[in-house]
Amino acid sequence: MLVLGLQGSPRKKGNTNYLISTFMDAAEKSGARTISVDVTQKDIIPCKEYTVCEKKGFCPIDDYVKEEIYPLLRQADVVVVASPIFFYNMSAQLKAVVDRCQMFWARKYRLKLRDPGANMRRGFLLSVGATKGKNLFEGLQLTTQYFYDAIDAKFEGSLTYRGIEGPKDMAAHPSVIDDIHKAVGSILEPFQGRKKVLFACRENACRSQMASAFAQSLAGDRLEVINGGSEPGDEVNPDMVKVMHEKGIDMAFRSPQSIDEAISHVKPDYIITMGCREQCPHVPDAHKRDWNLADPADKPIEFMREVRDDIERRVTELIKDIT
């Protein structure tokens, strides 16, 4: 499982950084892979209110958000937002990232596409504020909740602390460590114990991508799904994306990766190969099955649809068999 942290404080060693670092450390000790992004140190262009995202579901602005954050938001099982309070909301740098995620909202509500990871993704908020006002965190809570709705993450709650102003105030807080460990345990508990399945093919551009998306969508609560290729291509097959969109399944922001990269963080219980003579590394105790699927590359889109439907049937049977 992947826990993604978005750190929004401009202070490198401030209270917000302490909060999210402690949270991510606890997540790693619970078995999660973690990635923290300090958005204040990245080249991020604010939303320019183009209408491309509303019409086509993509943001035309080319920067760190497009190249790195969008794919990470789709890969993540848990997304953690951390920010100090700036005028009853998050920092400007983090708000720029949130605004740029209008594109996800458009894909979900305008284009009616379903993110395969939506069933399981969770969101959590960490924040500190210098004052002690009753409504100090209300604006931030609302912004964060709508952000999580757009990226298909269930908002699991928050840890917010008032009266935090000195550089070490958070580290001296009497309950913060226990608070974080309880929150991490609660959030990660549903992800524990899922069977791990690797779908593998040669290029990781088509069949293994479809299989993993169907498995995520149908059984993300029971399966942790990864995919890879023995000779990964440069990009996913555009016809594959089209036929999956016909099923309402969103394949955006997926990129081919090697099998070695796929299993570097997750040891699969099952390896499902697509029948294209891909070379899989030996994984002790993993059950291996070969589906011997027809290769739809360079075939008419009707053939791609047939392969898609065959994969959906096989994934449904696999889920019944192993869960």
Side-chain angles (χ1 to χ4, degrees):
M1 82 191 88
L2 173 61
V3 178
L4 172 64
L6 299 176
Q7 203 284 100
S9 174
R11 293 181 178 175
K12 293 182 178 180
K13 296 183 180 181
N15 291 298
T16 301
N17 187 66
Y18 173 85
L19 264 184
I20 194 166
S21 296
T22 305
F23 190 101
M24 300 303 253
D25 287 345
E28 284 190 1
K29 290 176 182 177
S30 296
R33 177 167 70 102
T34 65
I35 296 176
S36 291
V37 178
D38 184 347
V39 301
T40 70
Q41 302 299 312
K42 303 300 181 183
D43 177 23
I44 295 173
I45 300 172
C47 176
K48 295 182 180 294
E49 207 172 0
Y50 298 130
T51 59
V52 178
C53 67
E54 296 287 323
K55 296 176 180 178
K56 297 184 177 181
F58 284 102
C59 179
I61 299 173
D62 193 5
D63 66 349
Y64 186 84
V65 173
K66 180 179 178 180
E67 297 300 322
E68 300 292 337
I69 293 182
Y70 287 160
L72 284 172
L73 287 171
R74 278 296 169 87
Q75 295 170 33
D77 296 291
V78 178
V79 179
V80 183
V81 165
S83 177
I85 289 295
F86 283 73
F87 282 88
Y88 291 88
N89 214 306
M90 60 183 62
S91 65
Q93 295 93 333
L94 186 54
K95 184 60 164 57
V97 174
V98 170
D99 291 345
R100 292 281 301 284
C101 288
Q102 175 70 10
M103 176 271 307
F104 286 113
W105 182 93
R107 297 185 73 83
K108 178 179 179 180
Y109 290 109
R110 294 237 189 258
L111 302 183
K112 307 298 182 183
L113 294 172
R114 184 175 75 256
D115 173 12
N119 293 338
M120 284 297 289
R121 188 174 298 116
R122 299 292 185 265
F124 199 77
L125 170 64
L126 301 169
S127 184
V128 298
T131 61
K132 298 181 180 181
K134 178 182 177 182
N135 302 322
L136 182 61
F137 298 104
E138 284 190 1
L140 176 60
Q141 292 272 4
L142 285 172
T143 299
T144 306
Q145 288 179 46
Y146 285 115
F147 166 62
Y148 284 138
D149 178 70
I151 66 169
D152 274 316
K154 180 183 177 184
F155 184 44
E156 287 290 320
S158 61
L159 291 175
T160 56
Y161 298 90
R162 293 172 169 81
I164 304 296
E165 190 166 14
K168 296 184 179 180
D169 283 0
M170 202 67 259
H173 193 282
S175 69
V176 64
I177 299 298
D178 285 343
D179 294 345
I180 287 174
H181 281 274
K182 288 177 183 177
V184 169
S186 176
I187 294 166
L188 298 190
E189 192 277 332
F191 298 96
Q192 307 288 354
R194 294 183 298 171
K195 288 185 171 63
K196 300 173 177 60
V197 181
L198 166 68
F199 292 100
C201 64
R202 187 168 60 85
E203 292 190 341
N204 188 221
C206 189
R207 286 167 288 180
S208 56
Q209 292 283 356
M210 287 192 284
S212 63
F214 278 126
Q216 272 188 299
S217 182
L218 295 170
D221 59 331
R222 289 162 284 167
L223 301 178
E224 182 172 353
V225 182
I226 54 176
N227 58 74
S230 56
E231 300 175 25
D234 295 328
E235 59 184 9
V236 297
N237 187 308
D239 282 345
M240 178 274 293
V241 174
K242 290 179 183 177
V243 301
M244 291 298 281
H245 282 188
E246 292 171 1
K247 287 278 187 176
I249 295 179
D250 196 350
M251 303 299 288
F253 310 107
R254 290 176 174 251
S255 299
Q257 65 176 344
S258 70
I259 294 172
D260 287 337
E261 184 179 358
I263 66 174
S264 63
H265 305 292
V266 178
K267 179 180 175 294
D269 302 304
Y270 293 86
I271 298 175
I272 313 298
T273 58
M274 303 290 107
C276 44
R277 299 178 182 176
E278 55 273 25
Q279 298 298 314
C280 289
H282 176 66
V283 180
D285 302 322
H287 304 278
K288 187 174 179 181
R289 302 182 185 185
D290 186 8
W291 280 357
N292 194 27
L293 290 161
D295 188 352
D298 301 319
K299 299 286 197 314
I301 197 166
E302 292 78 10
F303 191 83
M304 182 74 76
R305 292 188 180 103
E306 293 176 5
V307 174
R308 173 203 64 193
D309 294 343
D310 188 12
I311 289 173
E312 184 177 19
R313 286 191 293 269
R314 290 172 185 260
V315 168
T316 301
E317 289 301 317
L318 176 71
I319 292 167
K320 291 179 182 177
D321 185 28
I322 70 175
T323 62

